[in-house]
Amino acid sequence: MYVAVKGGERAISAAHAWLEETRRGDPAVPELTIAQIEQQMPLAVDRVMAEGSCHDRFLAALAIKQAKGDLIEAAFLLRAYRTTLPRFGASEPLDTTRMRLRRRISATYKDLPGGQVLGPTFDYTHRLLDFALAAEGEDRAVAPEMPAPAAEVPRVTELLAREGLMQREALAEEEPGDLTRQPLAFPAERPVRLQNLARGDEGFLLALGYSTQRGYGNAHPFVGEIRVGHVTVEFTPPELGFPIELGEIGITECQMVNQFKGSRTEPAQFTRGYGLVFGHGERRAMAMSLVDRGLRARELGEDITAPAQDEEFVLYHSDNIEATGFVEHLKLPHYVDFQSELENLRSIRRTAEAALPEAAE
Amino acid sequence: MTMLTAGFADPVLDAQACFRAVLEAMSRPGRIQRAGSALTPPAPLNQAAAAVLLALADADTPLWLDAGAEAEAWLRFHCGAPVAAAAGAAAFALATAAPPALAALDQGTEEEPQRGATLVLQVEALEEGEGWHLTGPGIEREHRLRVTGAPAGFVAAWAANRAGLPCGVDVILCAGDRLAALPRSVMIAEG
Amino acid sequence: MSPMTPADTEERRHWMAVLARASADEIAGLLASLPSLPAPERLRAPETGLVMVRGRAGGDGGPFNLGEMTVTRCSVRLGEAVGHAYVAGRDKRQAELAALLDAALQDPARRAALMEGVIAPLAAGQQAARDAEARKAAATRVDFFAMQTTR
């Protein structure tokens, strides 16, 4: 029960002013620009775009500045902003085989068409703090270049599918459900699950994905392929009637290959878990693909024994904007609620104390 | 493409002004509001109907209309609303001639009555103070509204629509740059 | 104006794609050195909204909604031609310039000069940036040659 209480305006206004002062920090230190955040904290920007479910690098960087670096708060700001904009429609589905790749690796094949391209990765770094970065005016690193062959880069899943060893995806072209228009309903179809996971909290997805590797869900995953790069977005305006290119966005895709023991209707084969996220978000895409595969247990007729296979548990708790709202609402005044709990507890105590002397007799 | 004319000069403020006019009209059924006076929509669209659809219809609201190819192209361009093949599948139905039966439009459901369709009905003229007797929520005693060019049998069909409350269809009557609303809760007696 | 043929549509898709990737300053800078275009009539003022980006399950399966992106659109009329722009991001000036050019490029009398003076240099700059990134990616391509010979 909530009761409106008046008062506190002066205190709130002072708290906001102090928040603003602490956001800026020591005025002797130069202020961060949005461009600096966008350019020099690109992975934070990518995470906010993914969890804010809105691709706009400038807005995500602005949100990070306003939120003092609290990325969940920043995603919240971005989600709130997007509700003020009209929607023009939906894009053509992205064609990730036509990505402009920065990175493309496979853990299942050493030699594969298109090769292993490492890209700008933290892998193989020593995780030693680099104190050179603490010095101002660092030398600008220059990435080396080599002639780029114009090679086809086929999907690893397609190579397996051609041999009949990888389950083909259903080629349904029906209109996918949209969580921003229709609330979650169960059982949730795969398009809705993927949308939910794509904007889910990275920490939650990571922990669940990890749990499937540690025996909660019986997964034996291999990274078939990870792709990081840019993809063209096409949209068909109704007044034109043909698709046009809106520009490019950065994305990360992960194809996780998992064994499937087969069923009465299907032979033993590989199945895939799929991850696709805005920006460069490799950990996020990998975790998403593990959880996606976990959630396919129902359609593949597997036993549902683990949290990552329980779609209600996963989909209802993945959204960090909803989660933070409900957890943080606990700090709102519950004075009346609590009074009734207190009264209840006192009355139980009184009843128990009144009964005690009789019991002693 | 035919000669496409402009929509609202200021999409945000003009749409808000029209929204306000529709809100007033819905809150006080039978009272006449103005909307779209500055628009030059293609025939047979009138200014009020054009303004209402510019303000309310968008990519999330399927639109059914009987206004011909030019008006359809204009509305598709400015609203971005998908055109519904059947009136029953539309969130907004625009009738410039005999409208589809009210019962043939989306009535909404008991759980989601707000999904009931809105019929934007072009008529010849609207006049306050005479004609129909309107009573119901938003009306202290009664409002009078004369609708010239209302479809035959409309009042009887309205009674059936009213009986389905909270489900049913809302109607916005448009003549020139004048509009009046009939929310599904209003009762109409012929006068 | 005669109806667009498939080849016209393909050419129009090309210039719209190039303009969608160009900044307002880049477009305006190139336009400045050409004879100025007449002022267009605004059919739809620049407006920022969202497009829901769709992916495919497993990369090649059924579509799903990945998340939205900001898009700015604008439509103008120049004589008989209606020019449209839908560009990623929130730059209204870019959208308006792109719509103006889309209208002007539909006029055969203007097309050649605008393709040469605006679209071609923008496209070349965009291709050069893509090529530079591809060369950096190529430098991080793993060469397993040594392992194969010592096996």
Side-chain angles (χ1 to χ4, degrees):
Chain A
M1 176 180 173
Y2 308 99
V3 175
V5 185
K6 281 209 163 199
E9 285 95 339
R10 186 197 49 75
I12 290 170
S13 154
H16 284 171
W18 198 9
L19 171 72
E20 193 48 28
E21 190 185 297
T22 57
R23 187 190 61 68
R24 174 61 182 84
D26 183 350
V29 177
E31 182 173 355
L32 267 177
T33 65
I34 305 302
Q36 283 170 344
I37 297 170
E38 197 261 310
Q39 288 293 311
Q40 296 172 37
M41 304 188 83
L43 300 184
V45 167
D46 288 341
R47 180 166 177 184
V48 169
M49 292 196 304
E51 291 173 6
S53 200
C54 181
H55 191 287
D56 188 307
R57 303 193 62 79
F58 178 92
L59 292 179
L62 174 63
I64 290 168
K65 178 171 178 174
Q66 185 178 334
K68 301 168 75 173
D70 178 339
L71 300 187
I72 293 180
E73 180 75 16
F76 193 169
L77 290 169
L78 197 54
R79 288 256 189 112
Y81 180 81
R82 64 155 284 282
T83 64
T84 67
L85 297 176
R87 186 188 283 182
F88 299 149
S91 79
E92 304 297 320
L94 300 178
D95 182 355
T96 52
T97 55
R98 296 176 57 203
M99 273 172 83
R100 228 159 32 77
L101 293 169
R102 289 185 147 201
R103 173 167 168 80
R104 187 273 193 134
I105 54 163
S106 170
T108 51
Y109 293 103
K110 178 166 69 71
D111 298 303
L112 75 171
Q116 308 258 6
V117 178
L118 301 182
T121 178
F122 287 123
D123 298 353
Y124 327 109
T125 63
H126 293 116
R127 268 70 181 218
L128 299 173
L129 276 175
D130 179 2
F131 288 94
L133 289 178
E136 307 255 338
E138 60 189 286
D139 284 341
R140 191 173 176 276
V142 177
E145 298 184 8
M146 296 228 317
E152 288 281 304
V153 188
R155 292 180 199 287
V156 167
T157 50
E158 180 58 29
L159 301 177
L160 286 164
R162 277 188 211 145
E163 284 186 68
L165 297 176
M166 167 63 73
Q167 189 189 49
R168 292 258 179 209
E169 294 290 344
L171 251 181
E173 284 302 319
E174 56 212 50
E175 192 68 9
D178 184 355
L179 289 172
T180 68
R181 295 294 187 271
Q182 296 290 327
L184 260 180
F186 295 97
E189 294 309 312
R190 188 144 179 237
V192 166
R193 300 198 305 253
L194 288 169
Q195 182 184 12
N196 177 288
L197 298 178
R199 55 196 244 150
D201 180 76
E202 184 166 320
F204 180 80
L205 296 176
L206 179 65
L208 275 177
Y210 183 37
S211 74
T212 68
Q213 290 178 270
R214 293 197 62 263
Y216 292 86
N218 198 28
H220 301 283
F222 295 90
V223 169
E225 187 170 12
I226 292 172
R227 290 173 181 238
V228 183
H230 291 84
V231 69
T232 296
V233 186
E234 290 198 326
F235 172 67
T236 303
E239 58 270 26
L240 286 174
F242 57 84
I244 59 170
E245 297 183 6
L246 301 176
E248 290 185 351
I249 59 171
I251 55 164
T252 305
E253 181 187 55
C254 176
Q255 300 270 11
M256 199 66 84
V257 175
N258 291 263
Q259 223 184 86
F260 170 52
K261 63 181 181 347
S263 66
R264 257 172 294 173
T265 53
E266 293 200 68
Q269 58 190 324
F270 291 117
T271 55
R272 48 189 122 168
Y274 188 64
L276 183 67
V277 301
F278 283 150
H280 188 169
E282 205 162 302
R283 179 192 302 127
R284 175 178 193 81
M286 292 176 74
M288 174 175 170
S289 64
L290 290 171
V291 180
D292 172 50
R293 179 58 184 82
L295 292 179
R296 296 184 68 194
R298 176 171 49 84
E299 70 198 53
L300 293 170
E302 296 169 336
D303 292 337
I304 296 174
T305 55
Q309 297 169 318
D310 179 338
E311 64 178 17
E312 285 202 34
F313 177 79
V314 174
L315 302 181
Y316 268 142
H317 301 115
S318 61
D319 192 292
N320 58 21
I321 314 296
E322 282 174 21
T324 200
F326 203 51
V327 168
E328 294 203 44
H329 105 283
L330 290 173
K331 66 195 171 189
L332 292 175
H334 285 68
Y335 306 140
V336 176
D337 243 9
F338 187 67
Q339 278 303 314
S340 95
E341 290 276 313
L342 205 57
E343 200 47 52
N344 191 18
L345 185 61
R346 285 190 176 127
S347 122
I348 292 168
R349 281 280 184 87
R350 271 196 302 273
T351 313
E353 279 163 18
L356 263 183
E358 289 172 29
E361 280 172 2
Chain B
M1 193 180 280
T2 49
M3 288 293 276
L4 199 52
T5 57
F8 284 139
D10 186 325
V12 174
L13 293 181
D14 292 350
Q16 285 177 346
C18 180
F19 182 85
R20 186 76 219 174
V22 174
L23 183 65
E24 285 290 327
M26 283 283 179
S27 313
R28 297 168 176 77
R31 290 280 185 258
I32 292 172
Q33 306 291 327
R34 281 179 184 274
S37 312
L39 290 174
T40 51
L45 263 182
N46 68 33
Q47 291 172 318
V52 166
L53 291 171
L54 287 187
L56 301 183
D58 66 16
D60 290 334
T61 57
L63 172 68
W64 178 91
L65 73 173
D66 67 355
E70 202 179 345
E72 180 177 317
W74 193 84
L75 288 167
R76 275 172 94 110
F77 172 67
H78 287 296
C79 305
V83 171
F92 290 97
L94 167 69
T96 58
L102 294 180
L105 298 175
D106 192 344
Q107 308 289 305
T109 61
E110 290 283 337
E111 293 80 23
E112 296 180 294
Q114 75 277 10
R115 295 175 69 94
T118 301
L119 171 65
V120 179
L121 179 58
Q122 293 197 175
V123 296
E124 288 163 36
L126 293 169
E127 211 57 57
E128 284 183 17
E130 49 186 309
W132 292 345
H133 300 262
L134 306 184
T135 52
I139 300 171
E140 189 174 8
R141 289 199 168 77
E142 69 166 25
H143 287 168
R144 304 288 303 271
L145 181 69
R146 176 168 301 288
V147 182
T148 312
F154 183 83
V155 173
W158 186 261
N161 184 57
R162 172 78 176 58
L165 203 70
C167 296
V169 172
D170 304 306
V171 173
I172 302 174
L173 301 161
C174 297
D177 66 347
R178 292 151 66 84
L179 65 86
L182 301 173
R184 63 191 79 167
S185 56
V186 77
M187 283 169 282
I188 307 177
E190 286 186 274
Chain C
M1 199 176 292
S2 54
M4 303 257 294
T5 64
D8 289 340
T9 302
E10 210 38 56
E11 192 176 14
R12 189 173 179 197
R13 269 169 47 78
H14 168 66
W15 74 56
M16 291 179 94
V18 170
L19 291 166
R21 291 170 169 83
S23 73
D25 285 346
E26 287 173 318
I27 301 170
L30 290 165
L31 269 179
S33 59
L34 297 174
S36 61
L37 294 169
E41 180 198 349
R42 265 190 186 182
L43 291 178
R44 186 163 59 201
E47 176 191 18
T48 297
L50 298 166
V51 164
M52 174 55 89
V53 179
R54 287 190 174 158
R56 289 188 177 279
D60 53 7
F64 71 96
N65 292 306
L66 172 63
E68 289 159 318
M69 67 187 281
T70 55
V71 171
T72 302
R73 68 179 179 185
C74 179
S75 297
V76 301
R77 174 203 302 290
L78 204 62
E80 275 182 44
V82 174
H84 298 290
Y86 279 79
V87 300
R90 289 167 305 107
D91 188 341
K92 294 189 168 158
R93 193 163 144 254
Q94 179 203 0
E96 184 138 44
L97 285 166
L100 167 65
L101 275 164
D102 181 48
L105 280 158
Q106 290 172 55
D107 180 353
R110 290 196 174 100
R111 187 176 304 167
L114 289 171
M115 286 301 285
E116 191 190 321
V118 181
I119 303 301
L122 288 175
Q126 291 166 9
Q127 188 59 46
R130 285 194 288 266
D131 289 346
E133 188 171 282
R135 287 194 300 272
K136 286 180 193 175
T140 67
R141 183 183 303 270
V142 180
D143 184 359
F144 287 113
F145 181 72
M147 288 178 64
Q148 284 174 335
T149 52
T150 56
R151 186 162 52 196

